[in-house]
Amino acid sequence: MTEAEDRKPQSDEARGTFDPEITSEFAIPQGLDLARAPAEPETTSEFALPDGLDVLSPPAAEPEGSAFSPPRTYSSRSAPAAFTPASGIPVVRLTKDVPWQDRMRTMLRLPVAERPAPEPVQKHEEEGGPAVPRVLDLTLRIGELLLAGGEGAEDVEAAMFAVCRSYGLDRCEPTVTFTLLSISYQPSLVDDPVSAARTVRRRGTDYTRLAAVYQLVDDLSDPETHLSLEEAYRRLAEIRRNRHPYPTWVLTSASGLLAGAASVLVGGDLIVFVAAALGAMLGDRLAWLCAGRGLPEFYQFTVAAMPPAAMGVALNLLHVDVKASAVITGGLFALLPGRALVAGVQDGLTGFYITAAARLLEVMYFFVGIVAGVLVVLYFGVQLGAQFDPEAALHIAERPLVQIAASMLLSLTFAVLLQQERSTVIAVTLNGGVAWVVYGAMHYAGGISPVASTAAAAGLVGLFGQLLSRYRYASALPYTTAAIGPLLPGSATYFGLLSIAGNDVDSGLGSLTKAAALAMAIAIGVNLGSEISRLFLRLPGAATGGRRAAKRTRGF
């Protein structure tokens, strides 16, 4: 066999030619005839309908439409009559010569579909206006400063809404809780919404900064003041960098003078004034020391309440012929969280229940811290032989001129502690003096209950504060918070704690309940005075049905 013949089978095998006699083991033997099943025309789905099953064909698919288009079964003839009033939806015409707070509050109380179109008051160099995320970021930063400064939730929402509308963003919804700010903007019904949020990590009391933020929002809302987005950012950065108007030693001195004035207000003399001032200043320094070490505010209040109580116990143990209980009461006046209490009740009355519950819970923690600090000192004082008279609360000497001067000094020092502008200190001092005159005339001269007298005086404070804030287009907090200082229930709180320390729990709880009632009367009175001032002043939308209420559920 030649070499070419040897290579031929290999080439045939490589080309796939095999012996026909070689078959598969699965092949059908020859001579066996089987009926061949017809091959399936094609592979079908396992969800295909079997042959012979008749099913009605599905209806033709409806054309895709908008989610806001009426259903195909809707008929205008059978529509309910209350779907749209016969006279149409009233258009709200905003009065431009009222403060922006009232205008924006009216807007927020309207549904989105009923709000008038925005009138952008800021000129933009860009053709399409500023970027939406930057406007929302500026809005959240402004709202953060207001909420951290103690402003009410409704006023924070009004300010955020004013900033958005000044840049032409009308379909926006701000939301404020105790520590979280969020805002959502939807350009149109078919566009995706843009949302942003910001968390308030730190809160501080600085009414000078609060007034500066209000001035910035007022300039943004003014059609005659054209403030660009970059300029607004620059001013906001300056507000953040500004230092407090008063140094630390002034704040410490103010806390001492506040405690001394409060001690005189409840019947103390010069020695009591000095002792209360020294105790409050020592407590303030200890609280600053604890804050520098990172301790929570609960322990700061506990530590700050101990030195005034220790001063009162020391005077009693030394048998000094003074009213030692007034020293402790004065120290409590400097610690009671009146600002947070008023803000919490105001949020609850305006419908922000989550924020109100959080603020009131914070007030409760602060109050428990004060109670713990005073009770520890009183317990050891009683064990050492100190004797206090709980009935002394019923025998406060009536000294009208001295008490009026003390109330004005208390409001003055309270305003300094709140870091208020110097231009507002005199007004709030006079407001605090008027509040104490009204309370004294109703309670001491008229014999009216202290709760009713406190509510009336606080209502007058709120009324005057709202009028002053509208006159200056600013926040009402600097004109009301410090003015309610003389009305704080320091005396009822102290004598309640004293009764508990003496194992008279029932009497102590009664005094503490009275203190809580006085605190609620203060907060409700301030809010009611503010609302009354708005009833008799020109408001936006008055010609088209009156001012919208915050809630219309009536409890349902």
Side-chain angles (χ1 to χ4, degrees):
M1 183 179 294
T2 62
E3 184 178 356
E5 292 177 350
D6 292 336
R7 291 195 302 265
K8 185 175 180 181
Q10 297 177 1
S11 61
D12 292 339
E13 187 177 357
R15 287 194 302 267
T17 58
F18 303 96
D19 189 356
E21 296 181 358
I22 300 176
T23 58
S24 172
E25 58 181 345
F26 297 101
I28 300 175
Q30 295 180 359
L32 181 61
D33 296 333
L34 294 177
R36 298 187 177 220
E40 295 183 1
E42 60 182 5
T43 304
T44 58
S45 170
E46 58 181 342
F47 299 101
L49 296 176
D51 294 338
L53 180 62
D54 296 332
V55 180
L56 296 178
S57 59
E62 297 183 357
E64 183 178 359
S66 171
F68 298 95
S69 60
R72 59 184 179 84
T73 57
Y74 173 79
S75 175
S76 60
R77 296 180 179 274
S78 59
F83 183 75
T84 300
S87 58
I89 299 176
V91 178
V92 176
R93 297 177 176 85
L94 297 180
T95 309
K96 294 185 178 181
D97 57 350
V98 298
W100 62 265
Q101 297 96 314
D102 291 334
R103 288 187 280 121
M104 295 304 110
R105 189 179 290 110
T106 301
M107 294 287 295
L108 284 174
R109 293 179 181 181
L110 287 172
V112 177
E114 299 181 20
R115 294 174 183 171
E119 299 177 2
V121 299
Q122 307 302 328
K123 292 184 178 180
H124 317 297
E125 297 179 359
E126 303 87 353
E127 183 177 353
V132 172
R134 295 200 67 198
V135 175
L136 298 184
D137 178 71
L138 175 67
T139 303
L140 289 174
R141 291 177 183 273
I142 290 177
E144 179 189 8
L145 287 180
L146 292 176
L147 187 63
E151 189 60 86
E154 187 179 29
D155 292 327
V156 175
E157 282 195 359
M160 295 171 64
F161 192 73
V163 175
C164 287
R165 284 186 65 88
S166 66
Y167 288 103
L169 308 184
D170 59 330
R171 304 181 66 86
C172 61
E173 289 293 340
T175 303
V176 176
T177 58
F178 185 55
T179 58
L180 181 65
L181 298 170
S182 62
I183 188 167
S184 177
Y185 169 68
Q186 188 173 14
S188 64
L189 293 176
V190 296
D191 293 331
D192 294 332
V194 181
S195 300
R198 194 173 184 88
T199 303
V200 180
R201 300 292 183 185
R202 295 178 59 86
R203 295 188 303 276
T205 304
D206 190 346
Y207 282 0
T208 300
R209 178 180 296 176
L210 189 70
V213 176
Y214 260 77
Q215 184 61 46
L216 174 59
V217 178
D218 185 52
D219 291 341
L220 288 172
S221 305
D222 189 2
E224 298 180 359
T225 304
H226 303 293
L227 199 63
S228 65
L229 188 64
E230 298 299 330
E231 179 66 17
Y233 265 109
R234 186 190 64 79
R235 287 183 54 177
L236 189 64
E238 290 181 354
I239 293 172
R240 285 181 172 274
R241 286 195 302 264
N242 283 346
R243 295 187 176 182
H244 299 305
Y246 306 104
T248 305
W249 67 270
V250 173
L251 298 179
T252 302
S253 302
S255 64
L257 291 176
L258 189 153
S263 64
V264 173
L265 202 63
V266 295
D269 53 11
L270 182 59
I271 299 178
V272 171
F273 179 93
V274 174
L278 291 176
M281 288 190 290
L282 181 58
D284 180 77
R285 288 292 86 199
L286 289 177
W288 275 102
L289 182 63
C290 293
R293 296 296 185 270
L295 288 179
E297 286 185 301
F298 175 85
Y299 300 106
Q300 297 176 29
F301 274 82
T302 302
V303 172
M306 289 183 176
M311 284 286 183
V313 171
L315 290 177
N316 188 277
L317 291 175
L318 295 175
H319 302 288
V320 180
D321 190 13
V322 294
K323 198 171 184 179
S325 60
V327 177
I328 306 177
T329 303
L332 292 178
F333 267 89
L335 296 175
L336 291 177
R339 173 183 59 87
L341 175 67
V342 172
V345 175
Q346 180 182 356
D347 289 341
L349 294 176
T350 52
F352 295 84
Y353 300 116
I354 296 178
T355 307
R359 288 186 190 271
L360 293 178
L361 185 62
E362 181 187 40
V363 171
M364 186 194 72
Y365 270 101
F366 291 164
F367 188 75
V368 170
I370 297 171
V371 168
V374 175
L375 278 181
V376 168
V377 176
L378 288 181
Y379 176 78
F380 283 105
V382 171
Q383 297 299 320
L384 293 176
Q387 296 180 357
F388 298 95
D389 185 12
E391 300 297 330
L394 305 175
H395 306 289
I396 298 178
E398 298 181 16
R399 300 173 296 175
L401 296 180
V402 176
Q403 290 176 332
I404 292 174
S407 65
M408 295 178 68
L409 178 60
L410 193 152
S411 300
L412 173 65
T413 53
F414 203 173
V416 172
L417 286 176
L418 293 175
Q419 305 278 1
Q420 291 189 197
E421 293 181 297
R422 292 178 175 85
S423 59
T424 64
V425 170
I426 301 224
V428 74
T429 300
L430 295 176
N431 201 7
V434 171
W436 182 259
V437 168
V438 173
Y439 172 80
M442 294 182 64
H443 178 55
Y444 294 115
I448 302 175
S449 68
V451 176
S453 303
T454 301
L460 198 62
V461 168
L463 177 62
F464 286 166
Q466 190 63 228
L467 293 176
L468 290 171
S469 67
R470 292 174 66 90
Y471 174 74
R472 300 194 59 178
Y473 288 81
S475 172
L477 285 181
Y479 300 100
T480 57
T481 306
I484 64 172
L487 305 176
L488 292 176
S491 179
T493 303
Y494 162 69
F495 285 105
L497 300 179
L498 181 60
S499 299
I500 293 176
N503 293 326
D504 191 358
V505 179
D506 294 338
S507 178
L509 292 179
S511 296
L512 292 179
T513 303
K514 177 183 176 182
L518 291 173
M520 294 295 293
I522 293 172
I524 295 175
V526 169
N527 182 263
L528 182 61
S530 300
E531 296 296 328
I532 289 176
S533 68
R534 297 192 183 104
L535 291 178
F536 298 99
L537 295 174
R538 189 178 182 183
L539 294 175
T544 58
R547 173 178 166 218
R548 290 296 184 101
K551 294 277 186 181
R552 288 189 175 227
T553 59
R554 301 188 187 276
F556 299 101

